[in-house]
Amino acid sequence: MHEDFPVFEELYADAEQRRLAHESALVEAAGYGEWTRLRETAELAGRVGFRRLGIGHCPDMGREAAAAASFLQEAGLEVLLPCLESGGEPLQQARQFACQQTQMNVVAGMCVGHEAVFVSASRVPVTVLVARDRRFRHNPAAALYTSDSYSRSELFGQTNRAQRQSVGDNSPSRLLQIAEDSSCDPSDPRCRVAEASDFARRRGATHRGLRFCSGLRWAAQIRTRVLRANECRVTSASGKTGSVPRVSLGLPDHQKVR
């Protein structure tokens, strides 16, 4: 940053955001390295008081969405699935959940562009449960593992100035159009990392923000190297940026993750 980091009271002036941050920290402290992401989702929803959840997903991720819905329902939560009769367009899913007054939305597998539209159009907090990657069976990190071998040509050969557009607006309708333009051939899927780069390039984004947890610093380093090799400027921030102590959120010392 070019200026001093905002003080805690400024960052969390909104009471709802502060409560969400507090409960998120408690979930991390209780299940770090032990709970599955699905259980973390259920625990966070229960602690914050989110009883009605919407599960957004692309049509080809129906099995994963149904499995997630079953687990969350067993945890005592009310779960709503989208109506996919009209094709499962993400903007419609977000609007459906808004009409049904969901308190939190969960992504159970969407392509990069559709996920961006869904998050942008949702009126409530959104968490990603499944990062859809048809090439690596929903394990996007596999592309980073193999960035110097198997995935090298796919990750480092992305620069194409002819495809770059001006950034323009970030309206859901524009993002949806870019998502449709960048959708890949189902018979020859790209890895999610390459898909994300293509989506951003078509949007005209040459400056990328990279947010990561401290435990995934190595992955962020590889991702940064890939982006810079494709002529992108990168600004990164880890979960410890700002060094705000957890005690500011009301957590005692024994509930800190070390």
Side-chain angles (χ1 to χ4, degrees):
M1 295 181 64
H2 297 293
E3 301 176 355
D4 292 337
F5 196 82
V7 297
F8 177 82
E9 289 74 17
E10 180 182 339
L11 279 173
Y12 293 100
D14 182 272
E16 187 62 24
Q17 288 185 355
R18 186 165 182 158
R19 186 167 70 96
L20 185 58
H22 174 83
E23 297 300 339
S24 296
L26 288 176
V27 169
E28 181 185 26
Y32 189 80
E34 297 182 8
W35 292 353
T36 64
R37 188 175 183 89
L38 187 53
R39 182 178 174 184
E40 285 184 345
T41 301
E43 291 281 348
L44 178 62
R47 288 172 181 264
V48 179
F50 295 154
R51 308 308 305 171
R52 175 175 290 189
L53 277 59
I55 298 187
H57 64 95
C58 282
D60 61 354
M61 297 293 290
R63 185 183 68 170
E64 289 79 2
S70 177
F71 181 94
L72 294 172
Q73 287 170 340
E74 290 178 1
L77 301 170
E78 180 183 356
V79 179
L80 302 175
L81 291 168
C83 177
L84 300 182
E85 294 180 357
S86 58
E89 192 266 305
L91 189 53
Q92 292 179 350
Q93 292 189 38
R95 289 172 176 170
Q96 174 192 335
F97 292 147
C99 290
Q100 295 175 318
Q101 298 182 327
T102 58
Q103 298 165 295
M104 177 179 176
N105 290 336
V106 178
V107 177
M110 287 184 169
C111 62
V112 170
H114 284 180
E115 186 176 296
V117 173
F118 183 75
V119 172
S120 176
S122 292
R123 300 178 183 177
V124 295
V126 179
T127 186
V128 177
L129 177 64
V130 181
R132 180 180 179 273
D133 189 320
R134 303 299 293 180
R135 183 163 187 173
F136 287 118
R137 298 186 183 278
H138 314 316
N139 179 20
L144 301 178
Y145 290 135
T146 59
S147 60
D148 285 331
S149 54
Y150 183 78
S151 301
R152 182 171 182 80
S153 61
E154 185 172 14
L155 298 184
F156 288 94
Q158 301 166 357
T159 302
N160 186 338
R161 297 180 183 275
Q163 290 183 344
R164 284 184 175 169
Q165 306 294 326
S166 59
V167 174
D169 68 270
N170 286 319
S171 65
S173 58
R174 181 173 182 269
L175 293 177
L176 181 60
Q177 181 58 57
I178 297 172
E180 297 302 325
D181 292 341
S182 61
S183 60
C184 58
D185 183 355
S187 63
D188 186 25
R190 295 169 295 179
C191 67
R192 186 177 180 87
V193 177
E195 182 186 346
S197 292
D198 182 47
F199 177 78
R201 185 172 59 252
R202 290 175 184 269
R203 233 199 97 235
T206 57
H207 185 185
R208 315 283 176 83
L210 187 63
R211 198 278 188 222
F212 57 94
C213 287
S214 299
L216 290 173
R217 186 183 294 106
W218 67 269
Q221 291 173 339
I222 297 174
R223 185 67 175 121
T224 297
R225 181 162 59 88
V226 171
L227 289 170
R228 288 176 175 168
N230 287 282
E231 301 182 3
C232 290
R233 177 186 171 195
V234 182
T235 297
S236 63
S238 77
K240 302 302 180 185
T241 297
S243 299
V244 177
R246 292 294 176 87
V247 69
S248 300
L249 286 170
L251 269 70
D253 192 67
H254 73 275
Q255 289 183 316
K256 297 178 183 178
V257 175
R258 302 188 185 281

